[in-house]
Amino acid sequence: MPTPLSTAATRLGDAVKSFTIAQRTIAIIGVAALVLGGIALASWLGKPSYTPLFSGLSGEDASTIVDQLTTDGVPYELTNGGDTILVPQESVYDQRLKAASAGLPSSSTAGYSLLDDMGVTSSEFQQSTTYKRALEGELAATISAIDGVQTASVRLALPRDTVFVSEQGKPTASVFVKTAPGVNLSDDQVQAITNLTSASIDRMDAVDVAVIDAGGRVLSAVGVGAAGGAGKQASDYEQRVQGSVQTMLDRVLGPGNATVAVTADMRLESGERVAETFTNPENTPALNESTTTEAYEGAGGGNAGILGPDNIAVPENGGNGDGTFNSEATTRNNAVNKTTESTVLPAGGVNRQTVSVALNQGATARMDLAALTGLVSSAAGIDEARGDVVTVEELPFNDAGAADAAAALAQAEEDAAAQQRADLIRTLSIVAAVLLVAIIALIVYARRSRRQKREPLDLGELQGVYPAIPAPSAPAIDPGLPLITDVEPAPNTTTIDVAAVRNALQAGAADSEVERMRAEIDALASQDPARTADLLRSMMDDRQSV
């Protein structure tokens, strides 16, 4: 073994032998942790990178694909409840091509591809049903692509076409969505689903789409839309109007000087209203006009007259008329304007609302109450024709508990701040204690590692240790000269000339000199143990040249 390596191994063995039981235990634990960490890192680096092969699979498709992977000997992993299959990245494209050649996944073939298998002998019912299934499959696949939606199912209710326009029904749709765990669809996403579905079907409106999630919650109802039921719409409307009016009054009167209450009567049902209006334009000539004139002349005693008993004509004027008459009839068709209005009344409209405002007495001393009422009406969108009512009254506010409430709020804030300070102090104390224990442990460990078991060493005994070492080429040192070099040492520092010590030992110095050198080494050991150990080690190592 090379000399540096053997020296290093010897020093490492000596250092390990000098460890205490606690230090050896810590060293063993550290080495074991390093070995286990290296093994875990090597296994992680050697593990192949997995990539999704297919996601959103049905149970049948997942089972068939897993059987194919097992037959081919390709490792795989199942995630997301078994509907996603992961394979090594280098095997993704090969396995996808094999699955596609086998017609997998079969669920992906739904949609317009159903029309490819229709024959020329299909009945009209089969054609319409297959077309509806194709639409449902395409819509379900599109909705499933929305972020947060795992699977979707669409059912369409398409009325049969008829030549009677008045009997033409409107199509409706129901959408079932299953979201990812912990994901809830937002109102914008629900509105997107209803708009996407309604825009794909002829004569379908967004309010004709019902959306239900896997938890059974109605996200959009037919006739209501995605905004929720009429109760939720009324609550949202009341909060919005109340917030706008309260903000305005707080800016005008100051916070705490006004309170607002809004009640809205919302329409629960939807409907359609058709109104026709006819108007006659002025100074407009008639479209067409016809006049019929009839004249008759006859002698007196004619039979013309009024029918009497037994259907015998009785002459007028006692039978003295001459039987002559004239008649004229005019038929005129005037131009008439006709206006037909068709209004759809969705559910959630406002039938009537009331706004009640209470003002603190004295807060409106220099304000016009009528002008303030007008501001409230404008901010709330009051429609008198609809029957909306606004009530603004100035009343004394009950401030008996205001001081107690303010004191309680201040006390609560102070308690919260005190609790926060106590938590911070406790955390800092724990951190300081841990740091102190760590520092003490490090200091103790450093002192124990530096402290070596030293046995008294008689330098006189070293005289026979170096019999083969030749004397240096320099002139021999006079025993009477001091071993300390002429260079003045730094304060509190002892300097030992190693060559002088060896020369003195080889020359057989007197006991007084040996005692002096021993004192010098002892003084240096007390000041700098590490340096003393290096000096003694260099003196005892017969392989180190001087």
Side-chain angles (χ1 to χ4, degrees):
M1 181 181 292
T3 301
L5 294 179
S6 61
T7 304
T10 302
R11 293 181 180 179
L12 179 60
D14 294 340
V16 172
K17 291 179 181 178
S18 64
F19 283 177
T20 61
I21 297 178
Q23 292 174 351
R24 291 181 182 179
T25 304
I26 294 175
I28 293 173
I29 293 175
V31 171
L34 289 176
V35 172
L36 294 178
I39 295 174
L41 180 61
S43 62
W44 179 76
L45 293 176
K47 184 179 180 180
S49 177
Y50 281 84
T51 304
L53 179 64
F54 294 106
S55 60
L57 295 173
S58 61
E60 296 80 2
D61 292 340
S63 176
T64 305
I65 294 175
V66 166
D67 292 340
Q68 175 185 332
L69 295 176
T70 304
T71 303
D72 296 341
V74 178
Y76 64 89
E77 292 182 359
L78 298 177
T79 59
N80 294 333
D83 61 354
T84 301
I85 301 178
L86 304 178
V87 297
Q89 189 172 6
E90 60 272 9
S91 304
V92 171
Y93 300 107
D94 294 340
Q95 294 301 319
R96 284 181 181 175
L97 292 176
K98 289 184 179 180
S101 62
L104 296 174
S106 60
S107 58
S108 62
T109 60
Y112 288 122
S113 59
L114 294 174
L115 302 177
D116 299 337
D117 300 331
M118 293 184 60
V120 294
T121 59
S122 300
S123 64
E124 182 181 358
F125 174 76
Q126 290 177 336
Q127 293 177 358
S128 60
T129 303
T130 305
Y131 177 69
K132 187 177 73 169
R133 289 178 56 197
L135 289 178
E136 293 173 349
E138 292 293 332
L139 287 174
T142 306
I143 294 173
S144 299
I146 297 178
D147 188 17
V149 178
Q150 283 189 343
T151 57
S153 176
V154 180
R155 294 293 179 265
L156 301 176
L158 305 178
R160 299 185 60 181
D161 296 333
T162 176
V163 295
F164 301 102
V165 179
S166 59
E167 298 179 1
Q168 192 74 30
K170 297 192 65 176
T172 58
S174 60
V175 180
F176 172 81
V177 293
K178 179 183 178 181
T179 59
V183 176
N184 293 324
L185 295 180
S186 62
D187 294 340
D188 294 338
Q189 289 177 316
V190 176
Q191 189 67 42
I193 293 175
T194 57
N195 291 336
L196 175 66
T197 306
S198 62
S200 303
I201 307 300
D202 186 23
R203 294 181 290 106
M204 180 182 291
D205 298 330
V207 295
D208 297 329
V209 180
V211 181
I212 299 94
D213 65 357
R217 294 177 302 174
V218 178
L219 305 179
S220 177
V222 175
V224 177
K232 185 177 183 299
Q233 292 183 357
S235 177
D236 295 341
Y237 178 80
E238 292 171 356
Q239 292 180 2
R240 185 171 65 254
V241 173
Q242 180 179 355
S244 60
V245 175
Q246 187 69 54
T247 302
M248 181 199 65
L249 293 177
D250 290 342
R251 295 289 297 272
V252 174
L253 302 177
N257 290 322
T259 179
V260 182
V262 179
T263 303
D265 180 17
M266 308 296 290
R267 186 184 303 111
L268 300 179
E269 67 281 349
S270 61
E272 184 177 0
R273 181 176 59 193
V274 179
E276 294 184 354
T277 304
F278 299 91
T279 58
N280 185 14
E282 298 180 359
N283 300 325
T284 302
L287 296 178
N288 53 61
E289 182 177 355
S290 63
T291 302
T292 302
T293 303
E294 184 180 357
Y296 179 81
E297 294 181 358
N303 294 328
I306 302 173
L307 293 178
D310 299 330
N311 293 329
I312 299 175
V314 178
E316 296 181 1
N317 299 325
N320 296 326
D322 55 2
T324 300
F325 66 93
N326 297 321
S327 65
E328 182 176 352
T330 301
T331 302
R332 179 180 301 167
N333 294 327
N334 295 320
V336 177
N337 294 334
K338 179 181 178 182
T339 303
T340 302
E341 294 182 357
S342 179
T343 305
V344 178
L345 304 176
V350 180
N351 293 327
R352 181 175 176 271
Q353 69 171 340
T354 59
V355 180
S356 301
V357 179
L359 306 177
N360 191 9
Q361 192 172 15
T364 59
R366 294 177 295 178
M367 295 183 182
D368 186 3
L369 193 59
L372 195 61
T373 303
L375 290 176
V376 172
S377 300
S378 300
I382 298 300
D383 187 2
E384 295 182 356
R386 191 173 54 188
D388 297 348
V389 177
V390 176
T391 303
V392 179
E393 296 291 341
E394 187 176 4
L395 302 171
F397 280 15
N398 184 9
D399 55 355
D404 297 338
L409 182 60
Q411 184 64 31
E413 293 178 353
E414 184 178 355
D415 294 342
Q419 182 65 29
Q420 186 177 6
R421 288 194 300 269
D423 294 340
L424 180 61
I425 293 173
R426 187 185 307 108
T427 304
L428 293 177
S429 301
I430 294 174
V431 173
V434 172
L435 291 177
L436 182 61
V437 171
I439 292 173
I440 294 175
L442 290 176
I443 293 174
V444 173
Y445 176 75
R447 288 186 176 181
R448 287 186 177 181
S449 62
R450 290 182 179 180
R451 186 177 301 167
Q452 303 289 338
K453 291 184 178 180
R454 299 193 302 270
E455 296 180 357
L457 179 63
D458 189 0
L459 295 182
E461 297 176 358
L462 296 177
Q463 182 177 359
V465 177
Y466 301 95
I469 299 178
S473 58
I477 300 176
D478 189 356
L481 294 179
L483 295 178
I484 308 299
T485 59
D486 295 336
V487 180
E488 201 164 59
N492 299 328
T493 304
T494 303
T495 304
I496 298 177
D497 191 348
V498 178
V501 172
R502 288 184 176 177
N503 291 334
L505 291 176
Q506 292 175 2
D511 293 339
S512 61
E513 289 297 326
V514 173
E515 291 296 330
R516 181 180 178 183
M517 285 185 282
R518 181 180 299 169
E520 297 251 352
I521 295 175
D522 193 14
L524 181 61
S526 61
Q527 294 179 3
D528 194 349
R531 185 180 177 189
T532 304
D534 293 336
L535 290 174
L536 293 177
R537 190 179 296 109
S538 63
M539 293 172 61
M540 297 177 65
D541 192 357
D542 56 354
R543 288 185 293 267
Q544 181 175 351
S545 60
V546 178

